[in-house]
Every structure is written in structure tokens, then in C-alpha cells.
Amino acid sequence: TASDFPRSCTPKRALLKVSKLYNMAEIDRYSYIYTSLVTGVTEVVGQMKIILEQFTIRQTEKVNVDNENKLRLLRQQRIVGATIVGASIQLSLLQKLNPKIVIIEECAEIMEPCLVGILTKSVERLILIGDHQQLRPQVDTYHLKR
């Protein structure tokens, strides 16, 4: 680390061209080592940034290809099912699918913000199915619960 070197030790690129280290002053030898380390680390960090950028590009490409494959498969189906959470996670895919009809089962258990969050512009019909005898609706507001 930088704290292992004397304070007067600074990187000097000209020192990297010296071939006879034993003729150098002690502080210059420290500077030589410090410069070598700083130069090496800087190069490695630069290479890592390039690799990370390339990885990010490839990762984005993979996600796009995966989504296109999922969309192609879903468009071949007459009925597509999902949970509210699954539909929320795959919202961009759901928007590209352009469903005309959405059926929500056990709708008494689903809060309105979750429901509104998955509705796309293409939805023409929303069918809510629930059994009022089976599960009581959940209400978040204390005033409305009474």
C-alpha cells in the first residue's frame, strides 16, 4: 500500500528506464518500486474497466435475446398465466405481448396498486374473479377496516 512507502516517494516514470538499481539512492529505489506498482495497477484497472464494459454489453445482449425468445414463445399461446408478482417482474415482456383480456383470480387478496401496476395499454377487458365466502378482502387503511 502507499502507506508502506516513505512520504517523499512519488511515481516517476523516468526511473523505470534505469537499468542499474544498485547505483540509485535508497529513496529512488523506493520510488522505482512505487512507480512500477502504480503503473502496473493503473494498467490492470484500465483493462478491467474495458472487460467490465464488454461484459455489460454482452449481458444486455443476452437479456434482450432471452426476452425475444420468451416473447416469441408466449405469442404462440392462446392463454398465458402468471402471478401478480411474476407479471410485475416481467412487465416489459407483458407490455410487448399486448394482452386484450386479463383475468385476475383471487382478486380479493390483491391490492389495487399491484393490480394497476400490471395493466397495460392494450387491456380491453379486466375480469376479476373472487369468492367472497372463501377469503376476506384485505384492506390496508385502518379507517376502512372498521
Side-chain angles (χ1 to χ4, degrees), residues 71-81 97-103:
L71 186 60
R72 190 177 317 115
L73 178 69
L74 290 174
R75 283 192 173 143
Q76 296 172 358
Q77 310 306 314
R78 291 189 68 213
I79 298 173
V80 175
L97 192 58
N98 292 324
K100 303 284 184 231
I101 301 171
V102 173
I103 301 172

Side-chain angles (χ1 to χ4, degrees), residues 110-145:
I110 301 168
M111 300 295 174
E112 289 85 1
C114 295
L115 180 62
V116 172
I118 63 153
L119 295 178
T120 63
K121 292 180 181 181
S122 64
V123 174
E124 296 174 2
R125 233 181 249 178
L126 176 63
I127 302 171
L128 302 173
I129 301 172
D131 182 353
H132 67 285
Q133 298 295 325
Q134 186 180 9
L135 296 170
R136 297 189 46 83
Q138 291 196 13
V139 180
D140 275 344
T141 307
Y142 175 76
H143 176 68
L144 296 175
K145 280 185 180 180

Side-chain angles (χ1 to χ4, degrees), residues 6 9 13 15 29 36 60 66 72 76 96 128 136 141:
C9 187
R13 292 202 181 262
L15 287 175
R29 277 188 245 145
S36 298
T60 303
D66 287 348
R72 190 177 317 115
Q76 296 172 358
K96 291 177 185 174
L128 302 173
R136 297 189 46 83
T141 307

Side-chain angles (χ1 to χ4, degrees), residues 80-115:
V80 175
T83 64
I84 289 293
V85 173
S88 299
I89 291 171
Q90 298 291 334
L91 185 59
S92 63
L93 192 62
L94 193 60
Q95 289 170 338
K96 291 177 185 174
L97 192 58
N98 292 324
K100 303 284 184 231
I101 301 171
V102 173
I103 301 172
I104 307 292
E105 201 260 334
E106 293 295 348
C107 63
E109 287 292 306
I110 301 168
M111 300 295 174
E112 289 85 1
C114 295
L115 180 62

Side-chain angles (χ1 to χ4, degrees), residues 48-62:
M48 287 177 65
K49 284 181 182 179
I50 292 169
I51 291 169
L52 183 60
E53 288 170 5
Q54 292 172 346
F55 175 79
T56 303
I57 291 168
R58 299 296 179 270
Q59 181 73 12
T60 303
E61 290 172 354
K62 180 190 179 302

Side-chain angles (χ1 to χ4, degrees), residues 20-67:
K20 297 180 181 178
L21 298 178
Y22 58 88
N23 290 339
M24 299 171 93
E26 186 176 359
I27 190 66
D28 288 337
R29 277 188 245 145
Y30 278 114
S31 292
Y32 176 87
I33 293 169
Y34 185 67
T35 303
S36 298
L37 291 173
V38 168
T39 303
V41 167
T42 303
E43 289 175 11
V44 169
V45 168
Q47 291 171 354
M48 287 177 65
K49 284 181 182 179
I50 292 169
I51 291 169
L52 183 60
E53 288 170 5
Q54 292 172 346
F55 175 79
T56 303
I57 291 168
R58 299 296 179 270
Q59 181 73 12
T60 303
E61 290 172 354
K62 180 190 179 302
V63 168
N64 290 339
V65 168
D66 287 348
N67 284 340

